[in-house]
Amino acid sequence: MKIGIGCDHAAFSMKEEIRAYLTAKGHEVTDYGTYSEARCDYPVYGEKVALAVKNGEVERGVLICGTGVGISLAANKVQGIRAAVCSEPYTAQMAVRHNHAQIIAFGARVIGIDMAKMITDAFLEASCEGGRHAKRVELIREIEARFRTE
Ligand code: RB5
């Protein structure tokens, strides 16, 4: 699968490990940065990965910051993007099955690397269920459209 990954300085080392993990599993991973532990701003990387998903450069995205919150908030500002913050695999799986999330986010200061790998696996192995869930996702889209200003 084509996967985009992004992080801020707080999660640089975890991003490197997850990138290597996914690459070793045969995924085609595009790294949207950050590329060092130098302090940076998480919205930049949330937007980059969200745009890559929106434009079809990648199928799914993985975002990591200190908590997963800031970077997911930024990604969710891109129209049509659903980024879910998770700290365990069940929510990661359900975020795809029921909420059709295209991006998973987690916090390098919240969980360890083994949990991060389990969350990533659960997210990538899950498929959207459609049906009644698609209708609810459509309702989210309608809210987004009502408040669109551009
Ligand atoms: C950086 O210190 C930290 O604020 C950031 O990684 C993230 O946790 C924000 O949500």
Side-chain angles (χ1 to χ4, degrees), residues 60 91-101 123 126-129:
R60 298 263 183 106
T91 306
Q93 182 195 95
M94 297 310 289
V96 179
R97 288 175 56 187
H98 285 193
N99 313 119
H100 300 185
F123 166 67
S127 303
C128 303
E129 284 186 9

Side-chain angles (χ1 to χ4, degrees), residues 39-59:
R39 190 171 297 146
C40 63
D41 300 317
Y42 57 79
V44 172
Y45 306 96
E47 182 182 10
K48 280 179 195 280
V49 171
L51 283 175
V53 170
K54 186 178 168 67
N55 298 336
E57 285 165 43
V58 296
E59 293 159 68

